[in-house]
Amino acid sequence: MIHSMKKALAVTLMLACSLGAAGCAERIKVENAIPDSRIEGCGVYVKKVGNMPEDFILGMDASSVIAEEQSGVRYYGFSGEEQDVFKTLAESGVNTVRVRVWNDPYDENGRGFGGGNCDIEKAVEIGRRATRYGMEMLIDFHLSDFWADPGKQMAPRAWKDMEIGQKAQAVHDHVSDCLRQLKKAGVKVRMVQIGNETNGALCGEKRWSYIQLLMQAGSKACREVFPDALVALHFANPEKAGSYMDYAGKLSEYGVDYDVFASSYYPYWHGTLDNLAEVLNAVSDAYGKKVMVMETSYAYTDEDSDFSGNTISGESGITKAYPFTVQGQANCVRDVTDAVVNRMKNGIGVFYWEGAWISVGSESWEKNHELWEKYGSGWASSYAAGYDPADAGKYYGGCAVDNQAMFDPDGRPLESLRVFNLMRFGNETELSADAVSDAFLTCDLNGTIALPETVDAIMSDNSRSPIPVKWDATDAELEAMSTGGANTYTIKGEAGGFPTVCRVKVEEVNYLENPGFETGELAPWSIVEFGKADQLYVENKPTDSLSGDWHMHFWSAASGSVDFELSQTVASPAPGTYKFGISIMGGDGGETDIRAFMLVNGEETASVPLKITGYNNWDGALIEGVEIGEGDELTVGIRVKCAGEGNGAWGKIDDAFLNLTVKK
Ligand code: CA
């Protein structure tokens, strides 16, 4: 596999040489400023990002590409032909490629830790290829033998026991040596990053007095080898209030020499874009630094394609500001970029993270596992266990971001990859639905089943809008819903070219609101008092409720003081025949006159007597057969009048219901 790849590469190089009169040093000119005519007909809509500077960094982290290719992954261009993925990136408007460098990502037997086995040799090869297609490079030094992020910042094994002075020298020499190799290979380095997501830790050190020494050492090496390159420091979790100003303050206090204060921004973890702009602007204002988004990405699908679970999927309960679609992914990148260009005073760029990290195969976990282990194309191999036993050692596996790539599982570019070009121009496409929601409907089993005429859609410009839907309910399904009693049904349909479903719940609907007082409020019930009861209120006492926690309570000591009417009015109920019920219990009533009643347009049409006969002896009233016509007003309620005896009449009222029994 490696052999054939090298052969393919050699052919490309020969072609490049024969075409360029000045020889191999000549870069291949890639047409990445797509003329308007080619923007039309794109599969994504992209709203123009205004005011974008010519040299704004539209970046792609492509660290895993070599391991991917070694594992057999092939990449294709928009024409459908197999071509160098870096050519495709350049054609898509990417102008800078980011690559991570680990010191020594191999075990004692030379077996790679995975995650692309990103050593300096791979960075040089990626740098050569990116440079060939006119792109510049950002070199991301993790200063570790494997992943460095807010959760771990382990020193490389070779530096583990060094005291801080020695370690700083080692950082300097490592960065210097790597950058010299890149320079020698003719790689154009635009930016160098000292540490990755260094939230208060770096290279095994947790004291800022030490961390800053390591950063200074790396920065110095960069200034020596690539004096024109920018030095970036990279942090994560912009949503943690105050943390960025805290880091920037420490860096200033120690006089760390750097140009760019960069942040990761993953929309599902890192707060709002408003917050991101605010915290980066604060750093920029206070310390005069350039700012940027160093990593971002978004899912284009819920699906996993390599038998190894993804960090983000439909089931993770995240807030979906964008649907998991190719268009949603493009909109997300566009909006993040717009925030950096137009809402940050010193914003210089955005890098998409690992847009070319895709599945190494579609056959089985076993086959893929072999490739991940052999070529390091998964996030971690089992060989990383010795260095990182707690994480990689337990959870090693494949790609966790294949559903956030900008290439499909076969290596073909998604339309979202065009976003880098399109953001500069914007394009015109007809607004269309990009994702549609399911519909939910609760119907009265004695009422009419009317499926909704629209469903909610997210449009290609990420706006929300109801759109017409066509349901495929069969006559048999419609009949079943009308006559099948209480049940649930799923009806398939189509809206805006997308399949959707309506989940219909058919049940006996209670047309009363707050029927058992469970809101803890009286409304929308009302009380008219004819006596003056000592106590008459909605009470929370589950043991005294017929169901739930709440009920209406009354008690009064004086004779004849319990005399009230509790009622609720339903304005214009659907015409038909109704039944009403309500329950009461109580005692010490003496002579009582208690009645449940129904009023139609203010006239009593039916009533039923009730008795209070002791604690927990609930008496239930049921009035049936009351007909309601078009526009009628229906009031239901209970009149309670007690002479009282002993300590005074008391009682509890609960669980009213009003149901349609026959629809007119
Ligand atoms: Ca996966």
Side-chain angles (χ1 to χ4, degrees):
M1 202 74 81
I2 299 174
H3 205 74
S4 64
M5 270 317 299
K6 276 188 177 158
K7 239 163 114 182
L9 194 62
V11 172
T12 315
L13 278 168
M14 277 170 58
L15 275 171
C17 287
S18 62
L19 289 171
C24 276
E26 188 83 348
R27 290 200 198 129
I28 294 169
K29 172 89 178 119
V30 172
E31 189 184 2
N32 61 2
I34 295 185
D36 291 355
S37 60
R38 283 174 58 188
I39 295 170
E40 287 167 16
C42 283
V44 290
Y45 162 79
V46 178
K47 188 178 175 189
K48 180 177 175 169
V49 174
N51 314 310
M52 192 191 288
E54 260 308 297
D55 63 348
F56 190 81
I57 296 170
L58 295 171
M60 175 67 77
D61 191 309
S63 301
S64 63
V65 159
I66 307 294
E68 287 282 281
E69 291 173 342
Q70 289 172 341
S71 300
V73 167
R74 296 281 180 271
Y75 294 100
Y76 299 83
F78 282 105
S79 66
E81 299 291 313
E82 188 175 341
Q83 74 174 21
D84 191 328
V85 63
F86 291 99
K87 182 169 190 237
T88 307
L89 293 178
E91 286 172 346
S92 305
V94 171
N95 59 24
T96 314
V97 169
R98 180 175 186 246
V99 65
R100 62 180 164 271
V101 176
W102 289 318
N103 288 45
D104 180 19
Y106 301 92
D107 74 1
E108 59 283 6
N109 298 312
R111 298 174 300 195
F113 288 174
N117 292 348
C118 293
D119 55 17
I120 185 60
E121 283 74 28
K122 289 207 172 58
V124 168
E125 185 175 343
I126 287 171
R128 273 205 187 104
R129 283 167 62 182
T131 302
R132 190 183 305 148
Y133 294 106
M135 296 182 287
E136 299 184 300
M137 294 296 293
L138 161 56
I139 312 301
D140 167 20
F141 288 102
H142 281 224
L143 304 177
S144 182
D145 286 340
F146 204 34
W147 297 108
D149 56 42
K152 51 188 170 190
Q153 292 282 346
M154 286 184 287
R157 284 156 294 176
W159 303 353
K160 199 171 148 282
D161 299 322
M162 289 181 175
E163 54 84 22
I164 188 64
Q166 276 181 304
K167 200 186 258 185
Q169 187 63 46
V171 168
H172 171 274
D173 295 350
H174 167 70
V175 171
S176 178
D177 175 56
C178 291
L179 292 181
R180 281 176 207 286
Q181 289 185 51
L182 288 155
K183 192 171 197 177
K184 197 173 157 204
V187 175
K188 192 167 179 202
V189 175
R190 182 175 192 171
M191 202 184 304
V192 175
Q193 184 189 326
I194 307 300
N196 192 74
E197 295 189 331
T198 49
N199 288 4
L202 173 62
C203 199
E205 303 298 342
K206 290 178 179 170
R207 274 175 284 189
W208 273 104
S209 56
Y210 284 10
I211 293 168
Q212 59 94 13
L213 286 175
L214 304 176
M215 288 175 167
Q216 296 271 30
S219 172
K220 182 164 175 283
C222 174
R223 301 290 191 217
E224 289 162 1
V225 183
F226 285 107
D228 295 334
L230 295 171
V231 173
L233 301 177
H234 174 204
F235 305 90
N237 306 106
E239 78 284 4
K240 282 192 183 159
S243 63
Y244 279 15
M245 278 303 272
D246 187 40
Y247 303 147
K250 290 280 191 298
L251 297 169
S252 170
E253 189 183 313
Y254 288 110
V256 175
D257 171 25
Y258 74 107
D259 307 300
V260 184
F261 189 101
S263 176
S264 289
Y265 181 70
Y266 293 103
Y268 30 80
W269 295 325
H270 290 156
T272 63
L273 279 173
D274 282 340
N275 176 69
L276 180 71
E278 192 182 318
V279 297
L280 289 180
N281 279 336
V283 169
S284 180
D285 284 346
Y287 302 105
K289 299 299 174 185
K290 299 180 195 320
V291 296
M292 65 183 292
V293 168
M294 191 58 100
E295 295 181 10
T296 190
S297 66
Y298 202 75
Y300 75 89
T301 175
D302 281 350
E303 304 286 321
D304 171 57
S305 58
D306 75 342
F307 311 101
S308 185
N310 295 330
T311 50
I312 294 300
S313 68
E315 282 71 50
S316 62
I318 62 158
T319 311
K320 282 192 197 180
Y322 307 88
F324 286 171
T325 59
V326 171
Q327 178 68 64
Q329 187 184 44
N331 281 334
C332 181
V333 173
R334 185 263 163 210
D335 289 352
V336 170
T337 305
D338 185 60
V340 177
V341 172
N342 288 308
R343 285 148 79 183
M344 295 181 198
K345 292 166 202 161
N346 253 327
I348 62 164
V350 173
F351 277 89
Y352 196 85
W353 197 70
E354 287 279 20
W357 199 354
I358 58 176
S359 176
V360 294
S362 56
E363 214 177 299
S364 67
W365 181 87
E366 287 76 13
K367 289 253 174 185
N368 287 358
H369 176 69
E370 252 177 61
L371 296 167
W372 300 328
E373 291 284 284
K374 189 168 181 186
Y375 300 110
S377 44
W379 86 268
S381 77
S382 65
Y383 310 126
Y387 183 61
D388 181 16
D391 193 3
K394 281 185 189 157
Y395 309 112
Y396 61 85
C399 180
V401 293
D402 44 297
N403 66 331
Q404 300 190 61
M406 286 184 160
F407 289 82
D408 76 9
D410 298 323
R412 296 180 193 279
L414 301 175
E415 286 294 299
S416 50
L417 185 58
R418 298 184 193 270
V419 71
F420 299 101
N421 262 329
L422 294 180
M423 280 190 289
R424 287 192 187 272
F425 310 108
N427 71 340
E428 301 293 329
T429 61
E430 209 168 302
L431 199 62
S432 61
D434 182 42
V436 300
S437 68
D438 293 348
F440 296 89
L441 183 68
T442 299
C443 294
D444 193 313
L445 60 83
N446 295 311
T448 308
I449 308 244
L451 294 170
E453 290 175 359
T454 60
V455 291
D456 293 330
I458 299 179
M459 309 304 284
S460 45
D461 65 354
N462 210 43
S463 63
R464 268 66 172 165
S465 174
I467 60 167
V469 60
K470 190 177 165 297
W471 300 112
D472 300 331
T474 61
D475 289 348
E477 280 173 322
L478 291 171
E479 175 70 13
M481 282 192 286
S482 307
T483 61
N487 214 330
T488 56
Y489 303 86
T490 301
I491 305 298
K492 288 180 181 158
E494 185 265 351
F498 293 90
T500 181
V501 295
C502 184
R503 298 183 201 287
V504 184
K505 190 175 177 192
V506 177
E507 62 180 22
E508 185 167 57
V509 172
N510 188 345
Y511 289 93
L512 296 177
E513 286 179 54
N514 196 19
F517 310 97
E518 293 302 311
T519 64
E521 307 278 334
L522 179 65
W525 294 94
S526 58
I527 287 176
V528 179
E529 273 214 78
F530 304 102
K532 240 186 166 178
D534 296 328
Q535 295 178 349
L536 181 58
Y537 48 74
V538 176
E539 184 183 54
N540 183 330
K541 197 170 180 191
T543 50
D544 288 4
S545 299
L546 182 53
S547 71
D549 297 337
W550 298 80
H551 56 264
M552 171 61 65
H553 160 86
F554 63 87
W555 169 77
S556 205
S559 178
S561 58
V562 170
D563 188 358
F564 65 91
E565 190 178 288
L566 171 72
S567 68
Q568 183 174 144
T569 296
V570 183
S572 342
T577 309
Y578 285 81
K579 65 177 179 185
F580 166 63
I582 194 162
S583 294
I584 188 169
M585 69 133 162
D588 297 329
E591 195 177 319
T592 64
D593 177 11
I594 304 173
R595 286 177 296 119
F597 59 84
M598 293 177 83
L599 310 179
V600 179
N601 297 324
E603 297 287 327
E604 183 164 310
T605 55
S607 72
V608 166
L610 290 144
K611 291 281 177 209
I612 49 172
T613 55
Y615 184 72
N616 265 351
N617 288 341
W618 286 93
D619 191 13
L622 178 62
I623 303 173
E624 292 185 282
V626 172
E627 294 202 11
I628 301 294
E630 186 73 42
D632 282 348
E633 182 187 84
L634 173 62
T635 300
V636 297
I638 185 167
R639 173 70 189 264
V640 181
K641 193 175 175 184
C642 305
E645 61 184 25
N647 290 327
W650 60 271
K652 317 281 178 179
I653 300 168
D654 207 356
D655 287 7
F657 58 87
L658 175 66
N659 305 131
L660 181 66
T661 50
V662 183
K663 185 171 165 58
K664 202 173 265 176

